[in-house]
Structures are given as C-alpha cells and as structure tokens.
Amino acid sequence: MAELKNWYLVCYDIRCPKRWRKAYKLLEGYGERVQYSIFRCWLSQRMREKLRWELERVLTKEDDLILIRLSQQCVKDLPKYNRPNTWLLDEKGFRVM
Amino acid sequence: MQSIDLAQDTLTEAFPNTLRVCALHAFAYCPRLFYLEEVEELYTQDAAVFAGRQLHEKIEQQEDEEWLDLYLEDEILGLRGRVDALRTRDGQTIPYEHKRGRCYRDDNKPQAWDSDKLQILAYCCLLEAALGIVVSEGRIRYHADNVLIRVPLDEQGRQWVKDSIQQAKQLRKSAYRPPVTSNEHLCTRCSLSSVCLPEEARLAHNKEWHPLRLFPQDDEREVLHILEPGTRVGRTGEQLKISRRDQADEKVSVGQVSQVVLHSFAQISTQAVHFLAYKDVGIHFVSGGGCYIGSVDTRVGSIQRRIRQYQALSQSDFCLELARKLVNCRGEGQRKFLMRGKQKSKSDKVELEQAIAQMKAVLKQVPQVQSLESLLGIEGNLAALYFGVLSQLLAPDTPDLLKFSGRNRRPPKDRFNALLSFGYSLLIKDVMNAILTVGLEPALGFYHQPRTQAPPLALDLMEIFRVPLVDLIVVTSINRNQWDVDADFEVRGQQVWLSDRGRRKFISIYEQRKSESWKHPVTGYSLTYRRLLELEVRLLEKEWSGEGGLFGQLIVR
C-alpha cells in the first residue's frame, strides 16, 4: 500500500546511561528531540517498525518505551493550546544552505 | 514491444550451493519475489519484517525452558537456515516456527499457509539431514490468532521440499524475471511491491486494469542543497552535521534526507560519504557555475538488471522504438505547453498558432522514422519551432533583459538561457539519482549516443521532464516577476550565470515544482514529480522485461 506517514512521539525512560546514549543517538537519526527523552519523528509504518526493532535491541526489560502516533487532527490542533513555536512544521522537502 | 531473449549462459553462476530456507518460503509465496530477492538482490524490509523480528526477540526473552537457536546447513540437501526453536517432546525433536500473522482458515478450520507449510517441512528435512535424526513433525504458531498448527513430515512432504529446492535452484540460474503472480492479494502485502510494480505490469498486459497504487506517493525526505563554498558536511552519530562559516552548526537526521547536493566547493568528509552511501542517500556534485559534475555511485548488486539493459539497448530496432516514443513524448509536451500559453493570452498570436500547427505535422512523421539520425533531425525541427516561439509565452511587460531570443549554452549568453541551463543541471542530477536508485547503467542509452561526457541514458530520460520541470517554471517565474535582473544574475562579458541569490531562488522554485502532485495519464493515480522520476525509470526497465508500453507517456496538459 502507499506509504502513509504520521508524526510519532517517542518517549523513553532508560535506566542505564550507556543504553540511554545508544538509544539517544539512534533516535537522532530518525527525528528531532523535543524535550529530554522525548523525540518527534515523521515516520511511515515501515520506518516505525524498523525504529522499534532497532530500539528493542538496545533496551532491556527494565527500560520503558512508548510510541504515540498523532493523528493529522492532533497535529493540526497542537498550536491551539500550546505556547507558540512548540511544534514547528517545515514540510518543504528541501533545504538550501 | 518484445521482451529480450537472454541466453542461459550469459550469467555466470556465482551462487552458493545451498538455499536459505526463507528463500524457499519466498519461492512458495511468489516465484517473482524469490527472483527479485535472491538474484537481483533487492531487499526492502517492510514494517512486517521488522515486527516479525521483534516477535522473535520477544519470544527469546520470555522463553524460560531450554531454547535452541540452531544454524544448520546441508550441502547434499542443498539447504541452510536458522530454526526458530527446537524442542523435545516425548523424546521427539520438533522444530517450531513463529509467525506474527494469522493462519489460513478453510471452513473455519485453522490451517497453515502453503508457503509456511513448505518452510517448516524444509526445516524438518534440514534437521534430519544435518543432525542425522528422524523428525516426525514441525509446528507453526500463529501469534495473531494464537493458533498452533502441527505439520507432519511424510514422504509426500519430503518430496515437495526436494522438488521445490530443485525448481528454486533452476530459477536462480535463469536470466528471466518470472511474471507477476495472478493472485493480486499477495502483492498488497508484499514487501517488494514498490520495486516489483505488479499493478503496473498488470496494466501493461491489460489496458482495462485499474491499478491500485502500491508505489509510494511521495518521498518526503529532504534534498539538502549545500550552496556556500567552505561549508563542511560531516557525520555525528546518526546525524549529518553541517558547519558553515560564522554560523552555528546545523544537524539533520539521516532518516530525513534523500539527497545531498554539493554546489561549488562545499566539503564533505569521507565518514559522511560512507554513512550516506550506507543509508542509500544520493550524493551529487554541481559546479559553482551550475554544471552537473557527477554523483557517487553506490550500486552494488543489480547487475542482472544491467545485463538485461545491455542486451536490450544493443538492439538497434528496440532502441529506435524507444527513441520514437521519447521524441514523441517530448515534442507533444512542448506543443501542449505552447497551446497552454496560447489559451492564456487573449491577443492574437499568429506565429504561435503556426508553430503549433507545424509541430503537429512534424510529430506525425515520428512513427514512420526509420533511423536514429532522421529522428534527431525531427527532434531538431521540433526544438527549433518550439524555441522559436517560446518567447511568446512571456508576459508583454517582461523586462528586455529577461526576454528570450533563442537557445544557447556553454556558456549561456543571456539570462533566460542561464535559467534554463541551471534548471537542466538540477534535472539531470535528479534523473541520475533515479537511475542509480533503480540500479540501471546511466552510460548506456537508446537515443543519445555513447560519449565520454554526459551519461546518455540520463540525457534520454531527461527529455521527458524538461518541459514540465524546467521550461514551465522558468516561464511562469518570469511572468510572475520573480527575478531581479541585476541581483539574481552575474554577467561576465558574454557569459551570464545565476548569482548566489539567484541560485537559491531557482532551487526553491524547482524543488517546489517537484513536490507538486500530478495524475499519471497511464496508471491513473497521482503522485509527486519527486516520485515520478523514479517511477519513469522503473517503467523504462519494464520495457525490456516483457511488461512494456507504459514508458514515455507523460505529457503536460
């Protein structure tokens, strides 16, 4: 099927700094950090499962991980009840530097 | 168009003696899937693949009792593979296979899917052969509906495994890509559908077919254009680090990048090149003057595709037919673009109308052309007619300096030509990116002849996109007064280039155009130009794989 993409919040609580660093670096490759231990990622289902699989290899049982998919409506409403510039969207598809 | 005959012995055998059990599973699912994965080395892991792996990881963690994860290989049987789990029940050794999905139900009686059944039987046979024991049955657990299915191993099953191995090995040696399966339900769940394009192949054979879109609609990853000389692109962790003079470093997640384009002398570290190559991100170089220099070519496998391309494109008849399609596509595109301009302007445009009519007459000759040389002549005529009246599409109040009086290049001598030239450089870069992604050979084309400088296949494919992606945006941006004749250009004697500011502006107009969606006239579904470039290359490849007829049909309306 055509690949739909969604915003995901990836939140984690990792008990050991070594694993935390690994997970943190991994997530930097997928999206941007919103707050400590919260990332936002724009993912297709394929990428989401890949990320989950890669994270699962880093984390152990005692760590916590939660992925939250935001619907289109959620993302649209975000600016209404947040401080300005909390969730900036930049969907140009290119960057000139 | 006919498909190309390949002699069996053109492909030297370089396969291992044994077959992976999961390849056998793929073979039972769809022979074409098996061929694409094993021979053409195309793997695209989809969501289900990763979810499946995770399931295995989880089972491993939960399992308290003895757990055997066995890698086995047997040359005589010709199989190798890793058994999910091995348990002993009542003195019998039983292999287990875990599946994430549901089982097959016939009259609501749970059963194993055929491909899964073959897979577990193959594991049974492999265990028998490798460990010298007798295995009576294998078991499959379907996790979605939590069903355990026992598959007894009997003579019939053993024979089935043996026959399948034989057939699969035979297919592995073949130079032919098997046809698309007749069961289209298999394709919607297949991880390779965006590469195999089964729906488009069905359309090629049956013009009444309404294809489902299995090809992703858009690639939303960013194209990074590095313009400023002295900028450095490096790697840090899973991110690209872009360091500019007098500015804070910027970091970009590699998952969000589809191409890195280095203009002029921006630097890139070897670490970053390795990293981007590993992540399948295109790296392209464009000179400061706006000439396409080259790309990093990371194709490794895919030689089968290129061998088929060599075979097909060394037949002159075949090339001629493709070239006819191409010239027709480009000419029609140019003509439609002029017609569009005619409709917009209220005033009489006699010259424009004449050119449109003449182009129609010239285009009629295309199907009868018998040689590439005369086709080149026709294309020349079309281009002359087109460029002769292109300036008529410009608004009457266009500044004189931006007016167009004929195409010239190397170097461009006026501003309009500078815009066109820079646009074509960006375009050829994108076409190259698509060709390298698909794994074809850019140096062997069907219309442009092999030369040392520019890659002919890229030049060929570029013809299709010149009007919709470059000519159109140049004309509309001028009509919208988007250009500053002084600040956006640099004039050095006879030569005119875009200034830094001009290039930035052009890149954003071009990239925005690429992100517009467009309804494909043949497949009937819409997708962005970004994706269209790749789709067109894949459709071209189908021309010589027996699924032709869809290439070169993109004509602006």
Side-chain angles (χ1 to χ4, degrees), chain B residues 5-31:
Chain B
D5 275 354
L6 279 184
Q8 283 280 17
D9 53 85
T10 48
L11 305 175
T12 44
E13 211 201 336
F15 297 113
N17 252 331
T18 53
L19 206 64
R20 291 176 311 131
V21 174
C22 24
L24 209 57
H25 181 264
F27 177 73
Y29 189 80
C30 167

PDB file of all heavy atoms in Angstrom, chain B residues 5-31:
ATOM      1  N   ASP B   5      15.361 -11.714 -25.413  1.00  0.00           N
ATOM      2  CA  ASP B   5      15.824 -13.064 -25.139  1.00  0.00           C
ATOM      3  C   ASP B   5      17.228 -13.028 -24.578  1.00  0.00           C
ATOM      4  O   ASP B   5      18.116 -12.406 -25.113  1.00  0.00           O
ATOM      5  CB  ASP B   5      15.851 -13.862 -26.448  1.00  0.00           C
ATOM      6  CG  ASP B   5      14.483 -14.441 -26.732  1.00  0.00           C
ATOM      7  OD1 ASP B   5      13.612 -14.292 -25.854  1.00  0.00           O
ATOM      8  OD2 ASP B   5      14.292 -15.023 -27.802  1.00  0.00           O
ATOM      9  N   LEU B   6      17.400 -13.730 -23.507  1.00  0.00           N
ATOM     10  CA  LEU B   6      18.729 -13.816 -22.933  1.00  0.00           C
ATOM     11  C   LEU B   6      19.188 -15.260 -22.986  1.00  0.00           C
ATOM     12  O   LEU B   6      18.444 -16.160 -22.611  1.00  0.00           O
ATOM     13  CB  LEU B   6      18.711 -13.386 -21.469  1.00  0.00           C
ATOM     14  CG  LEU B   6      18.727 -11.900 -21.183  1.00  0.00           C
ATOM     15  CD1 LEU B   6      18.816 -11.686 -19.694  1.00  0.00           C
ATOM     16  CD2 LEU B   6      19.915 -11.252 -21.849  1.00  0.00           C
ATOM     17  N   ALA B   7      20.377 -15.480 -23.444  1.00  0.00           N
ATOM     18  CA  ALA B   7      20.886 -16.849 -23.454  1.00  0.00           C
ATOM     19  C   ALA B   7      21.165 -17.269 -22.013  1.00  0.00           C
ATOM     20  O   ALA B   7      21.580 -16.450 -21.197  1.00  0.00           O
ATOM     21  CB  ALA B   7      22.159 -16.919 -24.283  1.00  0.00           C
ATOM     22  N   GLN B   8      20.908 -18.524 -21.729  1.00  0.00           N
ATOM     23  CA  GLN B   8      21.088 -19.031 -20.367  1.00  0.00           C
ATOM     24  C   GLN B   8      22.504 -18.812 -19.859  1.00  0.00           C
ATOM     25  O   GLN B   8      22.723 -18.501 -18.705  1.00  0.00           O
ATOM     26  CB  GLN B   8      20.812 -20.541 -20.345  1.00  0.00           C
ATOM     27  CG  GLN B   8      19.358 -20.890 -20.382  1.00  0.00           C
ATOM     28  CD  GLN B   8      18.712 -20.754 -19.027  1.00  0.00           C
ATOM     29  OE1 GLN B   8      19.244 -20.114 -18.142  1.00  0.00           O
ATOM     30  NE2 GLN B   8      17.542 -21.333 -18.865  1.00  0.00           N
ATOM     31  N   ASP B   9      23.478 -18.997 -20.758  1.00  0.00           N
ATOM     32  CA  ASP B   9      24.852 -18.998 -20.276  1.00  0.00           C
ATOM     33  C   ASP B   9      25.463 -17.612 -20.157  1.00  0.00           C
ATOM     34  O   ASP B   9      26.640 -17.488 -19.867  1.00  0.00           O
ATOM     35  CB  ASP B   9      25.709 -19.873 -21.200  1.00  0.00           C
ATOM     36  CG  ASP B   9      25.552 -19.451 -22.652  1.00  0.00           C
ATOM     37  OD1 ASP B   9      26.262 -18.517 -23.065  1.00  0.00           O
ATOM     38  OD2 ASP B   9      24.700 -20.018 -23.339  1.00  0.00           O
ATOM     39  N   THR B  10      24.673 -16.570 -20.373  1.00  0.00           N
ATOM     40  CA  THR B  10      25.279 -15.241 -20.244  1.00  0.00           C
ATOM     41  C   THR B  10      25.566 -14.910 -18.789  1.00  0.00           C
ATOM     42  O   THR B  10      26.406 -14.088 -18.490  1.00  0.00           O
ATOM     43  CB  THR B  10      24.365 -14.148 -20.791  1.00  0.00           C
ATOM     44  OG1 THR B  10      23.078 -14.349 -20.263  1.00  0.00           O
ATOM     45  CG2 THR B  10      24.356 -14.136 -22.302  1.00  0.00           C
ATOM     46  N   LEU B  11      24.836 -15.547 -17.900  1.00  0.00           N
ATOM     47  CA  LEU B  11      25.049 -15.243 -16.493  1.00  0.00           C
ATOM     48  C   LEU B  11      25.915 -16.335 -15.882  1.00  0.00           C
ATOM     49  O   LEU B  11      25.531 -17.489 -15.847  1.00  0.00           O
ATOM     50  CB  LEU B  11      23.708 -15.183 -15.762  1.00  0.00           C
ATOM     51  CG  LEU B  11      22.703 -14.227 -16.372  1.00  0.00           C
ATOM     52  CD1 LEU B  11      21.378 -14.333 -15.656  1.00  0.00           C
ATOM     53  CD2 LEU B  11      23.214 -12.811 -16.303  1.00  0.00           C
ATOM     54  N   THR B  12      27.061 -15.944 -15.430  1.00  0.00           N
ATOM     55  CA  THR B  12      27.926 -16.953 -14.831  1.00  0.00           C
ATOM     56  C   THR B  12      27.388 -17.303 -13.462  1.00  0.00           C
ATOM     57  O   THR B  12      26.864 -16.446 -12.760  1.00  0.00           O
ATOM     58  CB  THR B  12      29.357 -16.424 -14.687  1.00  0.00           C
ATOM     59  OG1 THR B  12      29.281 -15.111 -14.191  1.00  0.00           O
ATOM     60  CG2 THR B  12      30.077 -16.452 -16.010  1.00  0.00           C
ATOM     61  N   GLU B  13      27.549 -18.534 -13.084  1.00  0.00           N
ATOM     62  CA  GLU B  13      26.962 -18.950 -11.826  1.00  0.00           C
ATOM     63  C   GLU B  13      27.888 -18.585 -10.680  1.00  0.00           C
ATOM     64  O   GLU B  13      29.060 -18.919 -10.672  1.00  0.00           O
ATOM     65  CB  GLU B  13      26.717 -20.447 -11.837  1.00  0.00           C
ATOM     66  CG  GLU B  13      25.523 -20.777 -10.986  1.00  0.00           C
ATOM     67  CD  GLU B  13      25.534 -22.220 -10.560  1.00  0.00           C
ATOM     68  OE1 GLU B  13      26.141 -23.042 -11.230  1.00  0.00           O
ATOM     69  OE2 GLU B  13      24.920 -22.487  -9.527  1.00  0.00           O
ATOM     70  N   ALA B  14      27.359 -17.872  -9.731  1.00  0.00           N
ATOM     71  CA  ALA B  14      28.166 -17.479  -8.589  1.00  0.00           C
ATOM     72  C   ALA B  14      27.349 -17.656  -7.324  1.00  0.00           C
ATOM     73  O   ALA B  14      27.505 -16.929  -6.366  1.00  0.00           O
ATOM     74  CB  ALA B  14      28.628 -16.040  -8.730  1.00  0.00           C
ATOM     75  N   PHE B  15      26.440 -18.611  -7.327  1.00  0.00           N
ATOM     76  CA  PHE B  15      25.569 -18.781  -6.164  1.00  0.00           C
ATOM     77  C   PHE B  15      26.126 -19.865  -5.252  1.00  0.00           C
ATOM     78  O   PHE B  15      26.737 -20.816  -5.716  1.00  0.00           O
ATOM     79  CB  PHE B  15      24.169 -19.184  -6.611  1.00  0.00           C
ATOM     80  CG  PHE B  15      23.500 -18.134  -7.434  1.00  0.00           C
ATOM     81  CD1 PHE B  15      23.231 -18.338  -8.767  1.00  0.00           C
ATOM     82  CD2 PHE B  15      23.154 -16.921  -6.864  1.00  0.00           C
ATOM     83  CE1 PHE B  15      22.616 -17.369  -9.523  1.00  0.00           C
ATOM     84  CE2 PHE B  15      22.542 -15.943  -7.626  1.00  0.00           C
ATOM     85  CZ  PHE B  15      22.268 -16.165  -8.960  1.00  0.00           C
ATOM     86  N   PRO B  16      25.882 -19.742  -3.971  1.00  0.00           N
ATOM     87  CA  PRO B  16      26.277 -20.825  -3.073  1.00  0.00           C
ATOM     88  C   PRO B  16      25.448 -22.073  -3.382  1.00  0.00           C
ATOM     89  O   PRO B  16      24.385 -21.994  -3.979  1.00  0.00           O
ATOM     90  CB  PRO B  16      25.968 -20.262  -1.693  1.00  0.00           C
ATOM     91  CG  PRO B  16      24.990 -19.166  -1.914  1.00  0.00           C
ATOM     92  CD  PRO B  16      25.262 -18.631  -3.275  1.00  0.00           C
ATOM     93  N   ASN B  17      26.000 -23.198  -2.940  1.00  0.00           N
ATOM     94  CA  ASN B  17      25.346 -24.462  -3.236  1.00  0.00           C
ATOM     95  C   ASN B  17      24.009 -24.640  -2.537  1.00  0.00           C
ATOM     96  O   ASN B  17      23.159 -25.372  -2.996  1.00  0.00           O
ATOM     97  CB  ASN B  17      26.272 -25.601  -2.805  1.00  0.00           C
ATOM     98  CG  ASN B  17      26.836 -26.281  -4.019  1.00  0.00           C
ATOM     99  OD1 ASN B  17      26.173 -26.297  -5.058  1.00  0.00           O
ATOM    100  ND2 ASN B  17      28.027 -26.823  -3.911  1.00  0.00           N
ATOM    101  N   THR B  18      23.897 -23.984  -1.395  1.00  0.00           N
ATOM    102  CA  THR B  18      22.673 -24.187  -0.616  1.00  0.00           C
ATOM    103  C   THR B  18      21.749 -22.982  -0.739  1.00  0.00           C
ATOM    104  O   THR B  18      22.161 -21.898  -1.111  1.00  0.00           O
ATOM    105  CB  THR B  18      23.027 -24.398   0.862  1.00  0.00           C
ATOM    106  OG1 THR B  18      23.848 -23.321   1.275  1.00  0.00           O
ATOM    107  CG2 THR B  18      23.731 -25.707   1.076  1.00  0.00           C
ATOM    108  N   LEU B  19      20.507 -23.244  -0.378  1.00  0.00           N
ATOM    109  CA  LEU B  19      19.455 -22.241  -0.489  1.00  0.00           C
ATOM    110  C   LEU B  19      18.992 -21.911   0.925  1.00  0.00           C
ATOM    111  O   LEU B  19      18.874 -22.806   1.761  1.00  0.00           O
ATOM    112  CB  LEU B  19      18.313 -22.894  -1.267  1.00  0.00           C
ATOM    113  CG  LEU B  19      17.345 -22.071  -2.053  1.00  0.00           C
ATOM    114  CD1 LEU B  19      18.063 -21.374  -3.180  1.00  0.00           C
ATOM    115  CD2 LEU B  19      16.287 -22.998  -2.633  1.00  0.00           C
ATOM    116  N   ARG B  20      18.717 -20.660   1.202  1.00  0.00           N
ATOM    117  CA  ARG B  20      18.190 -20.335   2.529  1.00  0.00           C
ATOM    118  C   ARG B  20      16.754 -20.852   2.626  1.00  0.00           C
ATOM    119  O   ARG B  20      16.002 -20.782   1.650  1.00  0.00           O
ATOM    120  CB  ARG B  20      18.194 -18.817   2.759  1.00  0.00           C
ATOM    121  CG  ARG B  20      19.586 -18.225   2.890  1.00  0.00           C
ATOM    122  CD  ARG B  20      19.527 -16.720   3.021  1.00  0.00           C
ATOM    123  NE  ARG B  20      18.665 -16.149   1.992  1.00  0.00           N
ATOM    124  CZ  ARG B  20      17.713 -15.276   2.228  1.00  0.00           C
ATOM    125  NH1 ARG B  20      17.484 -14.857   3.455  1.00  0.00           N
ATOM    126  NH2 ARG B  20      16.977 -14.800   1.242  1.00  0.00           N
ATOM    127  N   VAL B  21      16.389 -21.292   3.810  1.00  0.00           N
ATOM    128  CA  VAL B  21      15.027 -21.796   3.962  1.00  0.00           C
ATOM    129  C   VAL B  21      14.014 -20.668   3.744  1.00  0.00           C
ATOM    130  O   VAL B  21      12.964 -20.878   3.147  1.00  0.00           O
ATOM    131  CB  VAL B  21      14.833 -22.461   5.343  1.00  0.00           C
ATOM    132  CG1 VAL B  21      13.387 -22.853   5.549  1.00  0.00           C
ATOM    133  CG2 VAL B  21      15.719 -23.687   5.463  1.00  0.00           C
ATOM    134  N   CYS B  22      14.376 -19.460   4.189  1.00  0.00           N
ATOM    135  CA  CYS B  22      13.409 -18.370   3.976  1.00  0.00           C
ATOM    136  C   CYS B  22      13.278 -18.013   2.496  1.00  0.00           C
ATOM    137  O   CYS B  22      12.230 -17.535   2.065  1.00  0.00           O
ATOM    138  CB  CYS B  22      13.713 -17.135   4.805  1.00  0.00           C
ATOM    139  SG  CYS B  22      15.378 -16.954   5.296  1.00  0.00           S
ATOM    140  N   ALA B  23      14.345 -18.280   1.727  1.00  0.00           N
ATOM    141  CA  ALA B  23      14.213 -18.073   0.281  1.00  0.00           C
ATOM    142  C   ALA B  23      13.208 -19.061  -0.291  1.00  0.00           C
ATOM    143  O   ALA B  23      12.439 -18.736  -1.191  1.00  0.00           O
ATOM    144  CB  ALA B  23      15.558 -18.231  -0.399  1.00  0.00           C
ATOM    145  N   LEU B  24      13.218 -20.268   0.268  1.00  0.00           N
ATOM    146  CA  LEU B  24      12.252 -21.274  -0.166  1.00  0.00           C
ATOM    147  C   LEU B  24      10.826 -20.824   0.180  1.00  0.00           C
ATOM    148  O   LEU B  24       9.883 -21.048  -0.579  1.00  0.00           O
ATOM    149  CB  LEU B  24      12.576 -22.601   0.519  1.00  0.00           C
ATOM    150  CG  LEU B  24      12.204 -23.866  -0.241  1.00  0.00           C
ATOM    151  CD1 LEU B  24      12.844 -23.900  -1.598  1.00  0.00           C
ATOM    152  CD2 LEU B  24      12.600 -25.087   0.571  1.00  0.00           C
ATOM    153  N   HIS B  25      10.720 -20.187   1.334  1.00  0.00           N
ATOM    154  CA  HIS B  25       9.423 -19.621   1.740  1.00  0.00           C
ATOM    155  C   HIS B  25       8.966 -18.575   0.724  1.00  0.00           C
ATOM    156  O   HIS B  25       7.831 -18.581   0.268  1.00  0.00           O
ATOM    157  CB  HIS B  25       9.561 -19.015   3.130  1.00  0.00           C
ATOM    158  CG  HIS B  25       8.295 -18.431   3.671  1.00  0.00           C
ATOM    159  ND1 HIS B  25       8.008 -17.084   3.555  1.00  0.00           N
ATOM    160  CD2 HIS B  25       7.246 -18.994   4.306  1.00  0.00           C
ATOM    161  CE1 HIS B  25       6.830 -16.853   4.096  1.00  0.00           C
ATOM    162  NE2 HIS B  25       6.340 -17.977   4.573  1.00  0.00           N
ATOM    163  N   ALA B  26       9.907 -17.700   0.338  1.00  0.00           N
ATOM    164  CA  ALA B  26       9.588 -16.676  -0.661  1.00  0.00           C
ATOM    165  C   ALA B  26       9.198 -17.323  -1.981  1.00  0.00           C
ATOM    166  O   ALA B  26       8.259 -16.889  -2.649  1.00  0.00           O
ATOM    167  CB  ALA B  26      10.787 -15.755  -0.862  1.00  0.00           C
ATOM    168  N   PHE B  27       9.901 -18.391  -2.338  1.00  0.00           N
ATOM    169  CA  PHE B  27       9.619 -19.086  -3.599  1.00  0.00           C
ATOM    170  C   PHE B  27       8.195 -19.630  -3.601  1.00  0.00           C
ATOM    171  O   PHE B  27       7.475 -19.535  -4.596  1.00  0.00           O
ATOM    172  CB  PHE B  27      10.630 -20.217  -3.795  1.00  0.00           C
ATOM    173  CG  PHE B  27      10.384 -21.043  -5.029  1.00  0.00           C
ATOM    174  CD1 PHE B  27      10.657 -20.517  -6.282  1.00  0.00           C
ATOM    175  CD2 PHE B  27       9.867 -22.327  -4.934  1.00  0.00           C
ATOM    176  CE1 PHE B  27      10.425 -21.264  -7.429  1.00  0.00           C
ATOM    177  CE2 PHE B  27       9.629 -23.075  -6.077  1.00  0.00           C
ATOM    178  CZ  PHE B  27       9.904 -22.540  -7.325  1.00  0.00           C
ATOM    179  N   ALA B  28       7.782 -20.188  -2.460  1.00  0.00           N
ATOM    180  CA  ALA B  28       6.426 -20.731  -2.385  1.00  0.00           C
ATOM    181  C   ALA B  28       5.386 -19.614  -2.396  1.00  0.00           C
ATOM    182  O   ALA B  28       4.267 -19.786  -2.861  1.00  0.00           O
ATOM    183  CB  ALA B  28       6.272 -21.577  -1.133  1.00  0.00           C
ATOM    184  N   TYR B  29       5.767 -18.444  -1.869  1.00  0.00           N
ATOM    185  CA  TYR B  29       4.842 -17.309  -1.837  1.00  0.00           C
ATOM    186  C   TYR B  29       4.654 -16.757  -3.243  1.00  0.00           C
ATOM    187  O   TYR B  29       3.536 -16.578  -3.715  1.00  0.00           O
ATOM    188  CB  TYR B  29       5.405 -16.236  -0.907  1.00  0.00           C
ATOM    189  CG  TYR B  29       4.470 -15.087  -0.606  1.00  0.00           C
ATOM    190  CD1 TYR B  29       3.473 -15.214   0.345  1.00  0.00           C
ATOM    191  CD2 TYR B  29       4.607 -13.862  -1.257  1.00  0.00           C
ATOM    192  CE1 TYR B  29       2.622 -14.156   0.642  1.00  0.00           C
ATOM    193  CE2 TYR B  29       3.761 -12.804  -0.973  1.00  0.00           C
ATOM    194  CZ  TYR B  29       2.765 -12.960  -0.016  1.00  0.00           C
ATOM    195  OH  TYR B  29       1.932 -11.918   0.262  1.00  0.00           O
ATOM    196  N   CYS B  30       5.772 -16.472  -3.905  1.00  0.00           N
ATOM    197  CA  CYS B  30       5.711 -15.901  -5.252  1.00  0.00           C
ATOM    198  C   CYS B  30       7.087 -16.076  -5.884  1.00  0.00           C
ATOM    199  O   CYS B  30       8.073 -15.556  -5.364  1.00  0.00           O
ATOM    200  CB  CYS B  30       5.336 -14.423  -5.164  1.00  0.00           C
ATOM    201  SG  CYS B  30       5.583 -13.503  -6.688  1.00  0.00           S
ATOM    202  N   PRO B  31       7.178 -16.809  -6.994  1.00  0.00           N
ATOM    203  CA  PRO B  31       8.498 -17.021  -7.621  1.00  0.00           C
ATOM    204  C   PRO B  31       9.185 -15.713  -7.995  1.00  0.00           C
ATOM    205  O   PRO B  31      10.401 -15.607  -7.967  1.00  0.00           O
ATOM    206  CB  PRO B  31       8.156 -17.829  -8.878  1.00  0.00           C
ATOM    207  CG  PRO B  31       6.863 -18.471  -8.585  1.00  0.00           C
ATOM    208  CD  PRO B  31       6.122 -17.540  -7.682  1.00  0.00           C
TER     209      PRO B  31
END
